[in-house]
Amino acid sequence: MRSRRRISTILLTVFSAVVLFSTASGQSNDANFPTPLTSSVASGTIKARDIGDSRLTTFYYAFNGGQGDIFINVTTKNFNGDVDVFAVEAMRPLTKMIIFADTLTNETGRLIYLRKPERLLLRIQGRSPNDDPSTFQVKFGGSFVAMEGNGVGVTEAPTVDSDPTGSVRVNSVGTILETPKAERAVEMPVATSKEPDLSEIKTETVAKKPVNKKPVKVAVLVKDPVKQEPAKEPKANREKITTTKKPASKKEEPQPDPLADVRLVIAFKNGDKIEKPLPEILKFSVDKGVLTVIAKDGAIRRYSMVDVAKVTIE
């Protein structure tokens, strides 16, 4: 009896390990190519992001649901994020669970009722709030229907070369990573005891032309330190430089002011009269029955129009 219990325990442990491996090894990040759930358990690990990287990690799983109730149990550890279930047709949301890493382990659940069999999509979206990885486990029950084999009707996502030749590698926050230098394989010659075939070796003789080396004669001019020739005056200094001065331009005589003889005449009713040369006046105007005369020197004179008989410019 004890041996049977041990065998059953070992088989159960192996089965759970296979289930966990099958659900965690092929996690998809594309909703168009989700990971097919071949068992009622989906689990995985979300690695911690680099400092400054605020992105979320998203995993998609595909499964079927029959008519009736589907029970969902979610257990997470160090996980901040959402767990959603959609109907593949028109991506209709069926349930949503918001989870915060406020305790050591969080456990929650939901119940979904389906009126007809449908293809469903599970989305795990979240991140680790610290430097430790996050873990999650989603268990299904009720009318849950696992995908057969590798997932009938589910297309595998295309693969892209993660390290193309000549690319610059960066981390999630844009820091350039050092690319390891590729080791070059050097082919070493293999020593053989076979003598070379002399018939295959061709020798070429190149006739070298003799180089005629002629002696070079160098003439050295030695000047007598006592007898020195007088320095010749440059030709430019001997020539007379003639400059022509332009006649000074005559200063233009100021033109007479045409308003010099024009005067502003203000005649009062009592017989008084004021005459001012117009060039000395800056402005004169009538505002609200008051005649204001402003001179260029800043003097301002005001006269009531009740006392003024007429204002003329003569």
Side-chain angles (χ1 to χ4, degrees):
M1 292 295 293
R2 292 181 180 179
S3 61
R4 291 181 180 179
R5 290 179 181 178
R6 290 180 182 178
I7 294 173
S8 61
T9 304
I10 294 172
L11 291 176
L12 182 61
T13 304
V14 172
F15 176 76
S16 60
V18 170
V19 169
L20 292 177
F21 178 78
S22 63
T23 56
S25 60
Q27 294 170 339
S28 173
N29 304 107
D30 193 346
N32 297 320
F33 304 96
T35 301
L37 284 179
T38 57
S39 66
S40 60
V41 180
S43 61
T45 302
I46 297 177
K47 296 181 180 180
R49 293 280 186 177
D50 296 331
I51 297 176
D53 188 358
S54 60
R55 293 179 300 171
L56 302 176
T57 301
T58 306
F59 296 141
Y60 292 96
Y61 302 90
F63 64 97
N64 294 323
Q67 183 181 3
D69 296 329
I70 297 179
F71 302 97
I72 306 174
N73 179 266
V74 179
T75 304
T76 61
K77 182 179 180 181
N78 197 38
F79 176 82
N80 280 344
D82 304 332
V83 177
D84 302 90
V85 177
F86 301 90
V88 174
E89 184 179 357
M91 286 299 291
R92 177 167 47 89
L94 300 179
T95 186
K96 184 179 187 67
M97 289 168 274
I98 302 175
I99 302 172
F100 297 96
D102 51 355
T103 59
L104 183 61
T105 302
N106 288 325
E107 186 175 0
T108 183
R110 288 292 187 277
L111 176 65
I112 300 175
Y113 174 75
L114 298 179
R115 296 182 179 179
K116 61 178 180 178
E118 292 189 39
R119 175 67 57 84
L120 303 178
L121 183 69
L122 171 66
R123 183 182 70 180
I124 309 294
Q125 188 176 52
R127 59 172 294 140
S128 170
N130 47 41
D131 296 334
D132 298 328
S134 304
T135 59
F136 64 88
Q137 186 182 59
V138 183
K139 295 182 180 180
F140 295 93
S143 60
F144 168 84
V145 179
M147 305 289 284
E148 297 179 358
N150 294 329
V152 179
V154 178
T155 307
E156 295 183 357
T159 58
V160 181
D161 188 4
S162 60
D163 189 13
T165 305
S167 63
V168 179
R169 299 191 306 163
V170 296
N171 61 5
S172 57
V173 294
T175 304
I176 299 177
L177 301 178
E178 184 179 358
T179 303
K181 296 182 180 179
E183 297 181 358
R184 297 182 179 179
V186 181
E187 296 182 358
M188 300 297 293
V190 180
T192 57
S193 59
K194 182 180 179 181
E195 296 182 357
D197 190 359
L198 299 179
S199 61
E200 296 179 358
I201 301 176
K202 297 181 180 180
T203 58
E204 296 182 0
T205 58
V206 180
K208 296 184 179 180
K209 296 182 180 180
V211 180
N212 296 328
K213 296 184 179 180
K214 295 181 179 181
V216 181
K217 296 182 179 180
V218 180
V220 180
L221 179 61
V222 180
K223 292 186 178 181
D224 190 356
V226 179
K227 297 180 181 181
Q228 296 182 356
E229 295 181 358
K232 295 181 179 181
E233 184 180 1
K235 184 178 180 181
N237 294 338
R238 294 197 302 267
E239 296 179 355
K240 294 183 179 180
I241 300 173
T242 58
T243 57
T244 56
K245 296 182 179 181
K246 295 182 179 180
S249 58
K250 296 181 180 180
K251 295 183 180 181
E252 297 181 356
E253 297 180 357
Q255 297 181 357
D257 190 359
L259 301 178
D261 298 335
V262 181
R263 295 177 177 274
L264 176 65
V265 180
I266 303 174
F268 296 92
K269 293 180 180 179
N270 58 1
D272 296 338
K273 182 184 294 186
I274 297 176
E275 296 182 3
K276 293 285 185 179
L278 196 60
E280 297 180 2
I281 297 175
L282 179 63
K283 180 181 178 183
F284 67 93
S285 62
V286 178
D287 185 16
K288 296 182 180 180
V290 178
L291 174 62
T292 304
V293 181
I294 303 174
K296 290 184 178 181
D297 57 357
I300 301 175
R301 299 288 185 271
R302 294 182 176 87
Y303 308 98
S304 178
M305 292 300 296
V306 178
D307 301 331
V308 177
K310 62 178 178 178
V311 179
T312 58
I313 298 176
E314 301 177 357

